[in-house]
Amino acid sequence: MGLVCLLPAGAQGGDPFFDDIPLVLTASRLVQSPLDAPAPVTVIDRDMIEASGFTTIHDLLRLVPGFLVADIADGSPSVASHGLGDAYDRRIKVMIDGRTINSPLWGDTKWDNLPLRVDDIERVEVVRGPNGAAYGVNAFQGVVNIITRSPATESGGAVILRRGRDGFYDYGVRINGAGDAALDWRLSASRRSVVNFESHFEDNPPTQRLHGAEKLTRNVANFNATLQLSPVDEFGLQLGISAGPSWRGGPDYLDFPPHEERDRSLYLQAGWERRVDADTSVSLRYYRQQERAEGDWTVLEKDAGGVLQAYLGSRDSEVQRDDLELQLSGRWSPSIAAMLGLGLRSERARSLSLFGRDDWLDATHAQLFGSVEWRPVEALRINVGGTLERHDYSGSLFSPRFAANYAFSPDSALRFSTGTAYRAPTLMESKAFQTYRDGDDIRRILFRSLEPLQSERLRFIDLGYVAHFRPQGLTLDARVFREYYERFIDDRSCRTFPAGFDFDQLEPGVRANFMKDACPNREGPDFKPITPGQKAFYFFNANDFRMTGAEFSIDWRRDGWGRAILSQSFIRIDEGEPYSDRDIPDSAPHATTSLLLIKELPERWRASLGYYRNGEYYWMNGGDYIPRGERFDLKLARRFGAPGSDSEFSVTALSVKGKYPDFHNGKYRHQAHLFATLRIGW
């Protein structure tokens, strides 16, 4: 893909990165037009980011056809593509400037603790479908590549002040180097605090309500620099940190009372690129990622006599990831271009509460990836590529793809692609032994690994059409697809009992069911539950099923008037009987809609409206039923100051209809947000 963190700077002299149909980087690791890309790509550009009013990065994915977004009151937000979502969005690969940021623990993205703020983002590229051929395992349902603003695209500085209801604030500052030397640099920092959830079960009578909250405070700093070593050599460096407390839980939850948790995330990204000519480059990149979570609370549980017993719950964990990647790309002839790369990764994690041991668990991952693009005639492009890899959790895997793009005109093309992608079991799915403890005694088991898991496999067929109707200012991106899921990794409950437990002491009505559902006992004498027979969850390869879908996105713009972006998705999951989880076929709403209207007004005013609608669906494994719903966001802004200063005052209302169900209809109501923003640039 080249050194992604450097490309936007080099591209600003070539407007194609910012045209009506911009060049994209993420579909095949090569710079190309969406008309030539072997996979469907949505670009959320800076104009859309500003108009949306969103202050969190995961919310931006509401603008992508078929994507579902949920904040979760007792954990990080989750994102799903075409359903199958739960508390851990481990089927979507997420990157920042080409650097994978999914956590080694669950494979999810810690959206609420990214060392990055929305104001630092230039654009977001989303591959709406499997892309294992380019990125290997876990680029399963899609790829999200968050591309930050290059130091070379800005100068001066800015101060951003946001303040709103329920104590919300977001204060940020950005400064840039002078921009007249070989070294360009950008430094941004912020402090943000928000209440996402206020009360649980608020629709119940007052005497039955459970009151709790989720409040987050985050301090973020990010440094980005590029150094032009020679006319063809460039070095890039990025550093970032995010840290802060979260207040979670409710006073009526015996096992999750109010408490404070703390998160910290650090990253380092360094790379060198030599760009010999427009088609030939070599790049070497190194990434380092560290995450630490801390937090414990007192769990209360009634014993057989009804007396409350106390022990400790904890989420303490630490993970590290190191990546090294070499990539070569070039053109063999006027009709053939190729890319070849090698990647090495090391992952480490430790957590007594998650794995039942204090030492580090290590895993390594190696991959060889490449693609060849052949243009036999002017109108036809054929792309063949794949990734061969070896992973400690999944063994050897090969993810191939074949794609053909036929151009009806310079502004329209039809795409056909087919291939295979895999999702390897995560560290938690492979090694979990999550417990609550009282000293050396294990009081409760939550998640556990009982058997070796096979990687999930997805085979797909995709037919797409991309066109730009220049006289009308209209861009259309539409596709239909069918995906076949195999060896889907799910979790199932079983009941935990200590070694030698006497089932005869149970009531006759429950004895048979408890014996049938009992977990295999592997804990030994340290397992001393206060209440034998509580549920634990283990992972297994479940049934196969099929997903069929269609989606389109229309982007219309007219100078002096504004812009409208409409996205629509239709999904059906079937042929999976009997389902391991009855929520699988209902995990995708049959239809989702998003609409972003941007209206330019006189005197440098601008108004925008965001509309998001979903059919009913289920969040799986920890979530619950979500009814049909719609959300409206409004933003009114006025630019001021000298042209190019980017100074603006705005008022934003997110979810103007008020609170709405999020992730679990029976428990959570997401807060509406109303805030004002003052941005002063120079």
Side-chain angles (χ1 to χ4, degrees):
M1 178 163 59
L3 193 57
V4 174
C5 62
L6 304 181
L7 278 171
Q12 61 175 335
D15 288 336
F17 270 98
F18 307 98
D19 278 350
D20 293 336
I21 297 187
L23 295 180
V24 294
L25 306 166
T26 310
S28 64
R29 294 178 176 256
L30 294 172
V31 179
Q32 58 195 165
S33 165
L35 280 72
D36 302 325
V41 183
T42 292
V43 178
I44 305 171
D45 57 36
R46 188 66 207 167
D47 188 47
M48 296 169 65
I49 294 172
E50 291 273 4
S52 72
F54 294 139
T55 63
T56 53
I57 296 173
H58 64 282
D59 272 328
L60 295 172
L61 299 178
R62 299 180 188 273
L63 298 166
V64 182
F67 269 63
L68 305 171
V69 177
D71 285 295
I72 302 174
D74 52 3
S76 178
S78 188
V79 170
S81 174
H82 304 131
L84 306 178
D86 56 22
Y88 305 98
D89 51 2
R90 53 198 183 274
R91 293 180 175 88
I92 299 173
K93 181 180 282 288
V94 181
M95 303 183 295
I96 297 178
D97 294 326
R99 169 180 59 91
T100 299
I101 61 172
N102 298 74
S103 173
L105 288 177
W106 281 99
D108 62 331
T109 302
K110 305 301 183 186
W111 294 104
D112 58 356
N113 202 42
L114 295 184
L116 191 68
R117 48 189 282 117
V118 169
D119 304 284
D120 296 327
I121 299 173
E122 183 61 51
R123 68 187 189 278
V124 182
E125 294 183 5
V126 182
V127 177
R128 307 188 316 272
N131 204 17
Y135 298 101
V137 294
N138 306 332
F140 193 68
Q141 285 186 303
V143 177
V144 176
N145 191 12
I146 303 164
I147 299 174
T148 61
R149 310 192 79 171
S150 169
T153 64
E154 297 177 305
S155 60
V159 172
I160 300 175
L161 307 174
R162 295 187 178 100
R163 189 81 191 194
R165 56 177 295 185
D166 297 326
F168 169 74
Y169 65 84
D170 184 1
Y171 306 143
V173 62
R174 183 262 302 169
I175 55 175
N176 285 77
D180 55 358
L183 176 66
D184 289 302
W185 59 270
R186 183 183 195 274
L187 175 65
S188 67
S190 69
R191 179 177 174 85
R192 181 176 186 272
S193 183
V194 62
V195 175
N196 285 326
F197 295 90
E198 187 60 44
S199 60
H200 298 187
F201 300 106
E202 64 176 23
D203 292 337
N204 290 347
T207 56
Q208 299 178 24
R209 291 181 188 170
L210 292 170
H211 297 282
E214 184 207 46
K215 179 182 178 182
L216 308 175
T217 298
R218 292 292 184 269
N219 300 306
V220 176
N222 197 287
F223 177 75
N224 188 350
T226 60
L227 176 63
Q228 197 70 41
L229 300 171
S230 74
V232 297
D233 293 289
E234 193 168 48
F235 174 78
L237 176 68
Q238 295 186 38
L239 303 167
I241 181 172
S242 174
S246 306
W247 292 270
R248 295 188 166 109
D252 296 293
Y253 289 112
L254 294 181
D255 60 349
F256 202 65
H259 63 281
E260 179 181 329
E261 302 175 4
R262 302 193 68 86
D263 290 273
R264 189 186 71 181
S265 179
L266 303 167
Y267 84 93
L268 162 69
Q269 177 169 339
W272 161 78
E273 181 186 40
R274 167 164 288 187
R275 184 163 288 279
V276 180
D277 54 43
D279 300 309
T280 306
S281 67
V282 56
S283 64
L284 180 66
R285 297 181 291 170
Y286 168 73
Y287 309 137
R288 170 77 170 181
Q289 178 177 329
Q290 294 181 326
E291 297 174 1
R292 175 177 293 175
E294 298 175 332
D296 52 54
W297 57 93
T298 300
V299 179
L300 297 177
E301 186 178 331
K302 292 182 180 179
D303 62 16
V307 178
L308 284 176
Q309 303 289 326
Y311 51 87
L312 193 64
S314 172
R315 66 180 294 263
D316 290 0
S317 64
E318 187 174 0
V319 299
Q320 299 174 1
R321 171 189 282 137
D322 293 276
D323 277 276
L324 185 65
E325 188 175 276
L326 175 68
Q327 179 176 311
L328 303 143
S329 60
R331 184 166 293 279
W332 294 352
S333 72
S335 62
I336 299 177
M339 177 272 298
L340 182 66
L342 174 68
L344 301 172
R345 174 180 299 166
S346 170
E347 296 178 341
R348 310 188 74 202
R350 63 179 178 183
S351 172
L352 177 63
S353 62
L354 296 180
F355 303 114
R357 48 194 287 186
D358 285 318
D359 58 327
W360 287 97
L361 296 175
D362 296 279
T364 58
H365 177 205
Q367 62 177 203
L368 179 68
F369 54 88
S371 66
V372 176
E373 183 180 273
W374 176 41
R375 195 168 188 171
V377 295
E378 182 65 24
L380 180 64
R381 289 178 184 265
I382 295 176
N383 183 286
V384 179
T387 296
L388 176 65
E389 54 202 315
R390 177 69 171 80
H391 195 284
D392 280 356
Y393 305 149
S394 57
S396 298
L397 298 170
F398 177 60
S399 305
R401 176 174 59 199
F402 170 85
N405 295 58
Y406 184 81
F408 297 109
S409 71
D411 291 327
S412 65
L414 184 70
R415 178 192 66 253
F416 169 81
S417 64
T418 184
T420 303
Y422 293 90
R423 185 182 80 83
T426 66
L427 185 55
M428 278 294 292
E429 290 167 336
S430 301
K431 304 291 184 181
F433 186 51
Q434 185 179 7
T435 58
Y436 290 161
R437 295 171 176 264
D438 183 8
D440 293 330
D441 295 332
I442 299 171
R443 293 303 194 186
R444 186 185 297 184
I445 301 170
L446 291 90
F447 281 97
R448 55 188 293 160
S449 300
L450 292 178
E451 58 188 41
L453 297 173
Q454 293 180 287
S455 295
E456 295 182 355
R457 181 168 63 186
L458 190 160
R459 295 177 292 117
F460 67 91
I461 300 173
D462 179 282
L463 184 65
Y465 176 71
V466 180
H468 182 39
F469 304 97
R470 293 184 183 274
Q472 294 78 27
L474 189 71
T475 301
L476 171 66
D477 182 347
R479 73 171 183 133
V480 293
F481 61 91
R482 177 163 286 178
E483 298 172 347
Y484 299 88
Y485 289 79
E486 301 172 5
R487 307 191 297 252
F488 183 77
I489 298 176
D490 205 350
D491 61 56
R492 178 179 288 162
S493 65
C494 60
R495 297 187 179 275
T496 56
F497 297 91
F501 181 78
D502 182 10
F503 284 92
D504 290 336
Q505 64 181 284
L506 298 174
E507 295 290 333
V510 300
R511 182 185 305 136
N513 285 336
F514 274 33
M515 292 180 68
K516 179 185 67 175
D517 296 337
C519 302
N521 194 306
R522 300 177 182 174
E523 287 68 57
D526 293 338
F527 182 42
K528 301 175 182 178
I530 292 174
T531 309
Q534 288 186 323
K535 286 186 176 181
F537 295 87
Y538 67 93
F539 303 99
F540 71 107
N541 287 108
N543 57 304
D544 305 340
F545 52 88
R546 182 180 70 184
M547 179 185 294
T548 305
E551 62 191 22
F552 67 85
S553 182
I554 299 173
D555 189 347
W556 174 81
R557 41 184 126 186
R558 176 177 292 177
D559 290 342
W561 192 95
R563 187 177 178 188
I565 305 101
L566 170 67
S567 294
Q568 182 73 49
S569 177
F570 305 95
I571 300 295
R572 180 180 179 86
I573 301 174
D574 59 7
E575 291 199 356
E577 300 291 351
Y579 289 103
S580 59
D581 186 330
R582 62 181 178 84
D583 294 338
I584 287 177
D586 298 320
S587 65
H590 290 311
T592 59
T593 305
S594 72
L595 174 64
L596 181 61
L597 294 175
I598 307 170
K599 181 68 176 77
E600 301 293 344
L601 301 171
E603 303 295 330
R604 303 176 71 181
W605 285 91
R606 171 188 260 201
S608 55
L609 165 69
Y611 171 70
Y612 311 95
R613 186 182 187 279
N614 63 268
E616 61 183 15
Y617 68 103
Y618 282 80
W619 285 98
M620 301 164 55
N621 303 336
D624 196 36
Y625 168 76
I626 299 297
R628 290 186 181 91
E630 56 185 11
R631 166 175 160 167
F632 291 89
D633 298 340
L634 293 172
K635 180 180 178 181
L636 182 63
R638 187 184 188 277
R639 292 285 177 93
F640 63 90
S645 68
D646 216 23
S647 298
E648 179 183 274
F649 174 77
S650 65
V651 177
T652 304
L654 301 180
S655 186
V656 297
K657 293 180 65 176
K659 300 177 183 179
Y660 60 92
D662 209 19
F663 192 67
H664 195 300
N665 184 47
K667 295 182 179 180
Y668 305 133
R669 292 294 183 272
H670 197 287
Q671 292 288 95
H673 292 295
L674 175 65
F675 58 90
T677 302
L678 175 64
R679 182 175 63 216
I680 301 175
W682 64 89

